[in-house]
Amino acid sequence: MSHPFEIEPSVEMNADEAALLNEMPALVGVGQSRRSFMIHSAAGGIGLFAANLLAQESALAQMPLAADAAAAPIKAQNVVKVTLQVNGAPQTLELDSRVVLLDALRERLGLTGSKKGCDQGQCGACTVLVDGKRVLSCLTLTATLEGREVTTIEGLARGDQLHPVQSAFIRHDAFQCGYCTPGQICSAVGLLGEARRGHVSHVTADVGKTTTRLTDDEIRERMSGNICRCGAYPGIVAAVQEAHSGRQTAQTWEFATETQLASVRKERGHETV
Ligand code: FES
Ligand code: FES
């Protein structure tokens, strides 16, 4: 019976490897045969592998389970006290100086409208307004907001009266899954303020000539920090343009009438439309 680690004689070697193997007994200096050297090397390799495995297992056994680790309270460091206005109400928070606004809003104040998409400033899902200017709350340290006014998607409507940008988003069906929508709307509200203040953008044709009138290209550029994985961009641009210009832009959908529904049902031969 062949040894389990025996190297098959049929293994092909190039000339350099064959020469090296022939010199092995001399190189290892103990006069062992080529075969026994290779067997021991292989066994040594397996032994090393087994030892590593055992070490890993013992290290893992000493680690707390993931569930326990998640349940363990995270010790706050360098705690700071911050008082700020959130959607018109004063809030005083004591938190770790590293806590970003997005986490403070969602985890401490229960305002989960602002969404965590990338958590690194690339998607815009977490956009909120600070003193009327749009910011990425995932990149804003709460400790820097002493005395500032934060407005989130929850604070835009006045009672039952939606903000004009919110109404325009609904009219233009400017969302699909809705995950990016709070950030899109806050960003659009910030954009309207920037346009009123005459800010220019990368696509402004003449930066010396201040204009507060935004073209669709301007809106696309200025909203480019807000990603929508559902691709609702045509509706988003139309909604922002409508809120900006006050002109009704073409609506992309309408409710079907009962007669239209009946005709579709008849066509499809079932009642579920
Ligand atoms: S979560 Fe803040 S930019 Fe994506
Ligand atoms: S509506 Fe789904 S990500 Fe924008």
Side-chain angles (χ1 to χ4, degrees):
M1 196 177 125
S2 67
H3 192 284
F5 302 128
E6 188 166 1
I7 308 298
E8 288 298 322
S10 60
V11 170
E12 284 185 12
M13 287 179 284
N14 62 31
D16 287 346
E17 288 165 343
L20 191 63
L21 262 185
N22 282 329
E23 287 169 16
M24 279 295 181
L27 286 175
V28 295
V30 289
Q32 55 187 327
S33 72
R34 192 167 63 188
R35 168 183 286 193
S36 70
F37 173 78
M38 294 191 77
I39 288 170
H40 289 137
S41 300
I46 297 286
L48 214 58
F49 172 71
N52 277 340
L53 206 61
L54 281 174
Q56 274 177 23
E57 271 181 13
S58 113
L60 281 173
Q62 287 166 28
M63 281 173 67
L65 290 176
D68 293 345
I74 297 167
K75 201 170 172 329
Q77 289 180 14
N78 199 12
V79 174
V80 288
K81 191 172 174 182
V82 187
T83 300
L84 65 170
Q85 295 274 323
V86 180
N87 297 332
Q91 300 284 356
T92 298
L93 299 168
E94 284 189 26
L95 30 69
D96 188 310
S97 58
R98 298 164 298 178
V99 172
V100 291
L101 177 59
L102 178 60
D103 290 336
L105 292 170
R106 292 180 58 87
E107 312 298 336
R108 297 291 298 275
L109 300 176
L111 295 171
T112 53
S114 307
K115 297 292 183 272
K116 187 176 280 193
C118 63
D119 206 17
Q120 51 185 327
Q122 295 190 348
C123 72
C126 64
T127 308
V128 299
L129 302 164
V130 173
D131 294 340
K133 294 183 185 149
R134 47 186 172 165
V135 301
L136 297 171
S137 61
C138 73
L139 295 185
T140 305
L141 290 171
T142 316
T144 64
L145 298 176
E146 177 66 34
R148 312 287 290 276
E149 169 85 42
V150 176
T151 308
T152 68
I153 189 72
E154 291 92 342
L156 287 179
R158 293 282 161 263
D160 288 344
Q161 185 70 40
L162 292 180
H163 187 283
V165 176
Q166 290 175 305
S167 311
F169 264 64
I170 293 171
R171 266 198 304 283
H172 288 278
D173 202 16
F175 46 84
Q176 187 175 313
C177 76
Y179 196 81
C180 72
T181 312
Q184 300 276 4
I185 291 177
C186 286
S187 191
V189 173
L191 175 159
L192 298 183
E194 289 160 20
R196 279 195 298 274
R197 293 191 290 275
H199 289 195
V200 295
S201 82
H202 182 63
V203 297
T204 304
D206 184 352
V207 294
K209 204 168 105 195
T210 310
T211 172
T212 53
R213 168 84 186 87
L214 298 183
T215 61
D216 284 1
D217 274 350
E218 283 274 8
I219 290 172
R220 281 188 200 99
E221 165 62 21
R222 291 167 191 246
M223 291 293 291
S224 62
N226 289 80
I227 309 298
C228 174
R229 64 186 169 179
C230 297
Y233 298 113
I236 293 170
V237 174
V240 178
Q241 183 58 268
E242 184 176 297
H244 166 61
S245 63
R247 279 184 289 108
Q248 279 220 334
T249 46
Q251 194 162 299
T252 53
W253 62 279
E254 61 183 11
F255 288 115
T257 62
E258 263 313 309
T259 321
Q260 287 167 326
L261 282 175
S263 122
V264 175
R265 282 189 200 110
K266 195 170 161 202
E267 238 171 60
R268 297 189 185 172
H270 55 71
E271 295 294 311
T272 54
V273 177

